[in-house]
Amino acid sequence: MDNIIRFDLPGWVKDYVTTLPEIFENDQQKMAVAVELAQKNVENRTGGPFGAAIFDRNTNKIISVGVNLVQPHNCSILHAEIVAIMTAHNKLGCYSFELSQTLAAELFTSVEPCAMCLGAIGWSGLGRVVCGARDQDARDVGFDEGDKPQNWQYNLRKRGIDLEIDILRWQAREILVKYSQENGLIYNGRRENSE
């Protein structure tokens, strides 16, 4: 039994990151990174149509990126947000962004978080989450976003996590639609009740 669990970001990600500016001026520029990651993940056939990036709100510099790696790594938890969080924690040498005295971590995700990612966000120490497409946009093409509380947005804010939605929503939604139209793998964890 192998005791090592490892995932690698696709090779194109490193090249893409080197093209990014050092400083991002606004939310639209930051969200454009998450949306482009989703698009490139589809174009390169390296995973699902989801991208995420973590920035330091104090410096407006990028900390990490993530793309959906569920299918290529045969691992249901490798959603873009989880990959970005894991990569950032590893890079910073901490298990919670709250442990940093100088960092204000914010997550930009091309689609609102699913139930699993929502839980991870709460534990990660993120102070802000910014979303592109809506949960319903992902559900509309067949993705299972899990059983999220109806008041999930309120609950995040109650935990002290700022939330913005609909930043570049239509661009992010279009990636989902195109992926579906091109017969991209729509995976979900649902089991149909046979009764």
Side-chain angles (χ1 to χ4, degrees):
M1 184 168 154
D2 192 358
N3 292 333
I4 297 173
I5 298 172
R6 176 183 167 162
F7 70 88
D8 294 311
L9 287 167
W12 62 263
V13 172
K14 183 177 180 182
D15 294 334
Y16 170 73
V17 171
T18 63
T19 69
L20 297 175
E22 185 177 343
I23 305 288
F24 293 81
E25 296 180 15
N26 56 49
D27 286 351
Q28 286 73 21
Q29 287 183 351
K30 293 174 184 177
M31 182 57 73
V33 173
V35 171
E36 283 183 282
L37 286 163
Q39 179 66 43
K40 290 184 177 298
N41 207 36
V42 172
E43 289 172 357
N44 287 284
R45 299 179 189 272
T46 50
F50 304 94
I54 295 178
F55 295 84
D56 180 351
R57 196 172 185 181
N58 292 330
T59 64
N60 291 313
K61 292 183 178 182
I62 198 163
I63 298 168
S64 72
V65 299
V67 293
N68 179 285
L69 299 173
V70 169
Q71 183 185 1
H73 287 280
N74 293 313
C75 185
S76 62
I77 66 169
L78 290 182
H79 291 199
E81 300 95 327
I82 301 292
V83 171
I85 291 167
M86 290 173 68
T87 303
H89 282 164
N90 186 59
K91 179 179 179 179
L92 298 170
C94 67
Y95 59 85
S96 173
F97 300 115
E98 290 178 334
L99 296 175
S100 172
Q101 301 294 317
T102 59
L103 179 72
E106 57 183 356
L107 171 71
F108 282 72
T109 178
S110 65
V111 180
E112 288 178 346
C114 70
M116 176 185 68
C117 294
L118 187 60
I121 286 166
W123 289 108
S124 69
L126 285 161
R128 183 173 186 240
V129 176
V130 182
C131 307
R134 292 201 178 188
D135 174 279
Q136 191 60 50
D137 298 328
R139 291 180 193 273
D140 285 348
V141 299
F143 283 101
D144 178 6
E145 297 298 280
D147 298 325
K148 291 171 28 177
Q150 260 189 324
N151 56 349
W152 70 271
Q153 295 175 349
Y154 170 79
N155 289 340
L156 272 186
R157 290 181 177 116
K158 188 174 158 187
R159 288 185 72 118
I161 300 171
D162 293 333
L163 178 67
E164 301 288 332
I165 60 171
D166 293 342
I167 305 296
L168 302 184
R169 177 184 181 188
W170 301 112
Q171 293 91 321
R173 182 183 179 280
E174 183 59 31
I175 295 166
L176 295 169
V177 170
K178 187 174 180 186
Y179 180 79
S180 173
Q181 290 171 343
E182 294 177 356
N183 297 317
L185 178 66
I186 305 289
Y187 45 86
N188 60 53
R190 289 180 291 200
R191 291 182 185 218
E192 300 301 326
N193 189 345
S194 58
E195 297 181 282

